Amino acid sequence: MDITLLLQMVGIAMLAAIIYTIIGVAPGTDETATIAPVILVLVLSGLEPILVLTFFMSAIVSSKLTDSIPVALAGIPGGVMATPQVEHALILKKHGLTDVTIRKMASGSVIGTLVSVPVSLLFAHALIPFADVIKEYGSSLFFAGAIILALISKNRWVALVSILPFALLIEGLRHLYWDTGVVPAGTNVFISFFLGITIGPMIVTLFGLLNKEKRDRLERFGKKDIYFKQEKIDGIKANPFTILTKKEIGFSSLSSAIGSIAFILSPVGLTTFLGEVFTSRIKDPVKKASLAIASMDALANATYISGVLIPLIALGIPLSPTAMGPGNPLFNAPPVFTIDHNLHHILSNGDFISATLVGAIVALAITYFLTIKYSRQICIFVFKRIPHEAMLGLFFSLVLLLAFMDGGWMNVAGVFLVGFVAGTLHRTGVNYGVQFMTLYSAPWIISLLANL
Amino acid sequence: MSHHKKGHQNTQDHEKENIEVWEDLVHIKDLLLALLICSVTTLSGYFIAPSEPPKPLFFGLFGALIGFLITSIIIQPKRTFNGTKEEK
């Protein structure tokens, strides 16, 4: 590999690490909504594929590492994936162990990354012989996926019933665009519908605000109280292997390996489940909580990395919740990437390995150091300087931009419609996974329905 | 959207008037302002860009960042710190 490219990779990985350290800390930021639009923009801008993957890897490693910081400091999850950790972090906080928590979390993340990268690479290669069989059933597989995800979700019947009508909405809009000539016939509007689903819940809330009665009935709050304990985080023992106990290292590694192989399952579900299984027999609350914290962070990292790497290397279709969500633009971002021409087809084995390693190592080097040393300062800066309104404004405008680029003003209205329906479904209990799978299989579902 | 915020204008900042959107608290008027500013800067960036791709996208993205910075400066986060002296 030539040195210029390597330097570019390091540079873009550093950029991603800095951006996602801040976004990771910001409370409530969903991984799909914060990573996917940015990756999309990078892909569409014509950035070299290997640089896009490097950026992505660095972004997920650093946001996974930092989204647990506010959990430790204030009991507020920095993202969806950090939610299962809250109760354990609060126990440690009660015992005045906030600084220990952060170190354990960061160390767990390091272990998760170190374990999942080789496991994913090996497992992906083991899967390659079966790839053709799996890919042959592409569209129907997504439909099956939608049904399976619906069946294993908490509100299975609502989710199941939503699949056909939602597919109808998506294909209906596409055919309307073709008919009116807004989009050339046969071109599937995809990106902006995907984003519409992602920001669906927010769109529903915004629509609700336009209704005066509803607005007046909304629950009102003062300011969000954030309790910080006055304690010094001193002495930088930056070696993850001395911060964690042997048992914590062992369980973190084991859960990372399991998480990597079970890449098809929901990362949040898996984190909660394995975290409970591993810690259920420990009596001492502090030991239990710190083991849970370390292994959950390890697992969150591992499921994210493997969830993208394995489908990317072995299959080329986004067959996991992570690949469907934040990693989606790596598989499908027309016109640059499509299901038949994406990173899977463009990058070589060596490219995958080098992009993953550079992204992960740079992110760990920067973010791990920063979190161990400056977690308080970062957290206070983000909480005091970055209003939630600005975050919402930023992502809303990115969606607006991409919607307009996809199909003009008509598609802006279309994305609002998709967002409104998707958000309403989300509130009724249909999770993102089912909706994304439906988006992928919509053309197949509709042709099936038409031929019945 | 903008004429809907009139009713909330003369309320006071420290009273209970924030609502929850996406796991954190926002003030309705500030939220509308943020959405408006970011949308305008983003689309302006897109439209003033030379029409050779990927420039419109980059200008749009740059506009979004400008909007983000402006809103971060003019809007106060709805969070308070308790039980601690604030560090710099």
Side-chain angles (χ1 to χ4, degrees), chain A residues 246-294:
Chain A
K246 283 213 173 73
K247 194 171 187 178
E248 286 164 358
I249 295 175
F251 277 7
S252 300
S253 312
L254 182 63
S255 56
S256 305
I258 298 176
S260 302
I261 290 168
F263 69 100
I264 292 184
L265 301 175
S266 144
V268 183
L270 204 62
T271 306
T272 315
F273 175 70
L274 282 182
E276 296 309 321
V277 168
F278 282 159
T279 57
S280 60
R281 309 176 83 189
I282 300 172
K283 290 277 178 308
D284 179 4
V286 171
K287 279 190 184 146
K288 179 179 176 145
S290 64
L291 177 61
I293 291 283

Side-chain angles (χ1 to χ4, degrees), chain A residues 35-63:
Chain A
I35 296 180
V38 177
I39 301 296
L40 260 177
V41 169
L42 292 180
V43 172
L44 297 181
S45 72
L47 189 72
E48 282 220 35
I50 190 167
L51 294 178
V52 175
L53 184 62
T54 313
F55 185 95
F56 180 82
M57 278 299 157
S58 173
I60 49 173
V61 170
S62 48
S63 70

Side-chain angles (χ1 to χ4, degrees), chain A residues 44-94:
Chain A
L44 297 181
S45 72
L47 189 72
E48 282 220 35
I50 190 167
L51 294 178
V52 175
L53 184 62
T54 313
F55 185 95
F56 180 82
M57 278 299 157
S58 173
I60 49 173
V61 170
S62 48
S63 70
K64 286 287 120 282
L65 220 150
T66 52
D67 74 355
S68 41
I69 295 177
V71 178
L73 288 176
I76 296 167
V80 183
M81 288 291 297
T83 319
Q85 296 179 318
V86 172
E87 60 172 308
H88 301 289
L90 287 178
I91 291 174
L92 293 174
K93 191 164 177 269
K94 212 171 67 191

